[in-house]
Every structure is written in C-alpha cells, then in structure tokens.
Amino acid sequence: MSETIALPQPHELSQREKDDALAAYLMNFAAWGAGLPIPSLNLIAAWVYFLINRRKNRFVAFHCFQACTSQIPTTVINIVGVGTFIDYVLILNRDLPRFFWPYLGFAVVTNLMYLASSIYACVLAAKGRVHYFLVFGRWAYARYYGPHAIALEGGTAHRNLPPAGF
Amino acid sequence: MRILREVLLLLALYSGVGLGVYGVWRLWPASKAEKKGNSQEEASLLDRAEGKLRELLRREAVADANDEAAVKAGLRKVQDRLSPAFGALSYPIESYVIDSSTVNAVCLPGNIILVYSGLLRRLESPEELAAILAHEIAHAIHRDPMQALKRELGLAALFAMAGGHGDGVTGRLMHRLVSSGFSRQQELAADEEALRVLVASDIDPKALADALRRIRGEKDEDPAVLQYISTHPGFDERVQLSEQASANWPGKARPLDLDWKQFRSQFRVLR
C-alpha cells in the first residue's frame, strides 16, 4: 500500500471548512440556478471556485477538485446536445435530427444521476464526510492525500526518520 | 488497477443508460411516431429541395422561354381560367412556352410548367392547350416531379443537387424529367385531376382527347411524337377516359377568349 496522508475526521474539521466543501458542489448548479442552457458554465464556475480554494485547505481542495472534474462527462454530453440544437435549428435552420430525441433522454438521465450524486456528496461534505465519485473520487484522493500530495509537500526523501533499529 | 476498474464501471454505467434510453425510445408507441417523424422529415426535406430547385429552374431553365407579350398573355389567360379549379398550391404555377421542335410538355419541380412550341403547333384550339396545361398542373398538384426525382436519385442526392449552384443541375434535372416522365398510374391520376379541373372550368373534357390525338397525328413513327408517348404512357386509355368524361358531362362549354392563330404565330423559328 502506498504511503498516504491521513484523511481528516469530521470532528477535526471546522464549520467553515465543511461549508467551503459543500459550496464546491453547489457550484455545479450555478447555470441551472440561473436557468441558463449553457452547459459549460457549471464547469467554469466549479473551476473558478477550485482555483480560489485549492491552497486554502486540503479537505476543501479535495472536494473542489472532485466537484470540478466529476462533471466533465455530463458537461461534454450537454455541450454535444446544445451544440447540435444550435447547429441545426439556429444556424442551419433545419429540423433536429432523429437521433436528437433519444440523445436528449440520455442527457436528461445522466444529468439527473449526476445531480443526485452531487446532492449526496454535498450533504456528506456538510457533515465533514467524504463521498468518492467513480474515477474522479480516486483521482482527487490521489492528488490530495496520496503519494502525489506527499511528493508535493516535500516527499519521503526529506522526512526525518528515527535511527535505524528504533 | 482499481482506477481502471472504476473507469470501466463508469463507461458501463453511461453505456447502460444510453442503451436503456435508446431502447425505451425504440419501443415507445414510437414505431408509429418514428415513421411519422421520418415521413415528416422527408416531406420537409422534399419541400426545401423543391424550393431550391424552383429558384434554380426559374434562373436557368426558363431563360430561353418565349418572351413575346402575346404568348405570355395567351398562356396566362388559359391558366387563369383553370386556376380557380385547382386551388392553392405550395408554389404558384408558372407556365412558359419554349420555342423548340420538341413535342412535349413537362411539369418541373416548384410548379414550373414548360410547354414546347413543337407540341403547341399541333394543337388547334385554346381548349386543347387548357387540357394539356390542366394535365401538367395536375402533376404539380400531386407533386409528381419531386416524387419521380426522389425515386430516381434518392432523397440525399436530390437534396445535394438542390444545394448546388446551378452548374449543370438544371440540365440534368430537365433531362431526367423529360426523358423518363412519370408512371402510367401517375399519368392516369393526372388525367383524372385534369378532367375534373376542365369540367370545373367549363371546358369540355374531350379537349384532352382531341389534344392527345393531334399530338399523335397520323404518323406514330415520328420520333418527336414517340418521345411524348413514351413519357406519357397509357395513351389510348387516356383518350378513352377523356371521351368518357365528355359523354358524362352535362355542362355547356364556355369558349376561351384567345385568338389561337395569332397566339401560334408568335413562336420563333423552331430549333
């Protein structure tokens, strides 16, 4: 097992840290909240929030990174859908292609799944707990608590170790 | 390796959702809805292709049309007599006389009708011209030109053709329509519609039989006539249909106010 940094426990976190972590997931609904059909706006909002908070606190940075990266798939799906709509209806002035309707259904279902996951992660973050998204949770953990984080902090080569035999 | 497993799991999740939604969409009362969507999409594509072809044809195919005022006025007069009977169409009918030895009349996409002077020279009255025009207008009502082109070229090729910039497109289309014509069923359906239009316009439906007989003349082997007969199949049946309609017609013919001799004298020297 690789060396890792210990995860903070809920009682070790301040309310401010929990609120900041919670807010990272709320950024995912920025465009939805504004009622705008701009699929990349959520990603931009989450990314900006991540840039602001990435050096503040490891726990908050972890949640910001996970909230930001985990929405990449749904953002890509939404961009394709909105792009197709704009291309066909607004630019080419043509009827929507036949595949658009099942694709729209696919986009709606994946967005709802992501919305449910985000709300769940949001609630857990508010309690100082951690929810790992598939792939992106592992990626975020590796980045903030795994060997990568240890290397960034100075790595094992610079750690003071007790004399041999102790 | 766990990350790889999660990546695969995520992909499987999205694929599963995608396939599930697609399956629901396919199984929805949708086989019907899809067919309806297909036909709507196809009709919409055909409409747009027809609009573009009409523009192309008006720019190019009718450039050589006879522009004598008397010819245009005469044609207009006959068309105006018929128009109340055929009602509103997707595009207004535009008919032109082309000075040519060709014995034919053709309905093009976009409701453009070309009548060749080779055919007109064979006719003996404006009523016969009305019968020929009514027949071609019936093709426009049934949208036969677009259906024929769709059948021969396919919708995609037709749309691509319509999207061209006129480089040879009109020539190819004209050749297709003039050389292939329509099916026997389409011709008979067009005649039935034409006879209805003639009756509604107070023109003896026998004018169609007269026109057809004059077009054929006495020499069946005339290549020019053969072209008309080959592109307008069911010749004898059509004559019979027209005579039958005339026999059953209780109405009284109202003559068309057009000096036929003067009208015909306006055609240019045949090419």
Side-chain angles (χ1 to χ4, degrees):
Chain A
M1 192 176 162
S2 313
E3 208 169 351
T4 58
I5 296 171
L7 279 162
Q9 297 310 313
H11 66 273
E12 298 167 355
L13 295 162
S14 67
Q15 191 56 45
R16 175 64 193 267
E17 287 168 334
K18 291 174 186 174
D19 290 345
D20 285 348
L22 173 153
Y25 297 99
L26 291 181
M27 288 295 131
N28 291 354
F29 315 123
W32 291 1
L36 296 173
I38 305 171
S40 54
L41 195 65
N42 293 328
L43 188 63
I44 293 168
W47 187 252
V48 168
Y49 191 77
F50 165 69
L51 290 179
I52 294 167
N53 291 286
R54 63 180 173 165
R55 299 202 192 282
K56 273 189 186 171
N57 177 284
R58 193 176 296 282
F59 180 75
V60 175
F62 163 84
H63 281 289
C64 289
F65 187 78
Q66 177 171 252
C68 185
T69 53
S70 62
Q71 65 175 291
I72 290 172
T74 42
T75 303
V76 171
I77 289 167
N78 294 347
I79 285 174
V80 171
V82 172
T84 304
F85 181 84
I86 290 172
D87 189 31
Y88 273 77
V89 177
L90 302 181
I91 297 174
L92 298 174
N93 197 21
R94 288 170 55 183
D95 291 339
L96 285 164
R98 221 156 41 92
F99 71 81
F100 184 80
W101 303 109
Y103 185 84
L104 186 66
F106 170 68
V108 168
V109 173
T110 49
N111 273 275
L112 286 177
M113 278 166 51
Y114 182 68
L115 177 70
S117 305
S118 291
I119 290 171
Y120 184 62
C122 190
V123 170
L124 291 189
K127 294 176 181 172
R129 290 163 61 184
V130 175
H131 167 68
Y132 297 109
F133 282 72
L134 274 178
V135 181
F136 304 102
R138 192 169 287 276
W139 183 12
Y141 179 82
R143 185 180 173 93
Y144 288 100
Y145 295 101
H148 175 73
I150 292 168
L152 278 180
E153 282 201 345
T156 44
H158 300 279
R159 288 178 70 192
N160 294 324
L161 296 171
F166 269 90
Chain B
M1 283 305 102
R2 284 192 181 204
I3 184 80
L4 187 63
R5 204 165 63 189
E6 285 193 8
V7 168
L8 290 175
L9 194 61
L10 192 67
L11 288 175
L13 189 67
Y14 278 101
S15 306
V17 169
L19 286 172
V21 170
Y22 184 71
V24 169
W25 181 68
R26 290 289 295 181
L27 294 173
W28 208 252
S31 44
K32 283 180 193 168
E34 188 188 348
K35 276 182 192 165
K36 193 178 166 191
N38 278 349
S39 60
Q40 279 175 346
E41 195 176 343
E42 189 178 302
S44 156
L45 276 173
L46 266 185
D47 283 347
R48 282 202 298 273
E50 187 172 17
K52 287 182 177 181
L53 289 175
R54 180 180 159 90
E55 284 170 28
L56 274 179
L57 290 165
R58 288 182 80 195
R59 213 165 44 226
E60 296 186 12
V62 301
D64 296 334
N66 188 312
D67 57 357
E68 290 291 338
V71 171
K72 289 203 261 187
L75 209 54
R76 185 81 227 166
K77 193 174 276 184
V78 176
Q79 196 186 302
D80 285 349
R81 177 73 171 272
L82 300 173
S83 58
F86 59 76
L89 291 168
S90 50
Y91 299 100
I93 297 283
E94 285 184 16
S95 47
Y96 300 91
V97 171
I98 305 289
D99 287 315
S100 163
S101 59
T102 303
V103 180
N104 213 340
V106 62
C107 177
L108 298 173
N111 301 349
I112 292 174
I113 291 168
L114 304 183
V115 185
Y116 292 91
S117 56
L119 182 146
L120 287 173
R121 281 182 174 274
R122 290 176 176 250
L123 304 182
E124 292 295 333
S125 70
E127 285 75 18
E128 290 172 13
L129 168 60
I132 295 296
L133 265 187
H135 173 84
E136 299 305 329
I137 288 169
H139 280 309
I141 293 169
H142 297 161
R143 305 193 72 188
D144 289 338
M146 291 306 287
Q147 293 299 334
L149 288 173
K150 189 187 88 177
R151 195 175 54 241
E152 287 197 29
L153 304 171
L155 193 57
L158 181 58
F159 200 75
M161 223 174 180
H165 298 289
D167 35 343
V169 171
T170 48
R172 277 182 284 164
L173 279 177
M174 298 270 288
H175 180 261
R176 288 264 182 181
L177 286 170
V178 173
S179 63
S180 311
F182 304 118
S183 70
R184 174 186 288 263
Q185 284 77 15
Q186 284 174 314
E187 289 302 333
L188 289 176
D191 271 355
E192 280 174 9
E193 182 72 29
L195 293 171
R196 185 195 66 75
V197 168
L198 288 175
V199 165
S201 309
D202 297 332
I203 296 171
D204 189 343
K206 189 169 173 289
L208 182 61
D210 293 342
L212 291 172
R213 282 212 184 88
R214 288 192 210 289
I215 289 166
R216 179 155 68 175
E218 290 172 1
K219 293 189 291 178
D220 274 356
E221 69 278 10
D222 184 344
V225 177
L226 280 177
Q227 190 203 10
Y228 182 84
I229 293 173
S230 69
T231 57
H232 291 78
F235 201 89
D236 293 332
E237 209 177 335
R238 296 177 62 199
V239 169
Q240 202 182 345
L241 194 71
S242 162
E243 285 178 337
Q244 206 176 346
S246 176
N248 296 335
W249 184 49
K252 192 181 171 192
R254 188 158 51 95
L256 265 158
D257 180 24
L258 177 65
D259 185 339
W260 188 246
K261 277 188 183 168
Q262 200 258 333
F263 176 70
R264 284 205 318 184
S265 70
Q266 301 297 321
F267 305 148
R268 285 192 287 265
V269 178
L270 302 182
R271 292 190 292 263

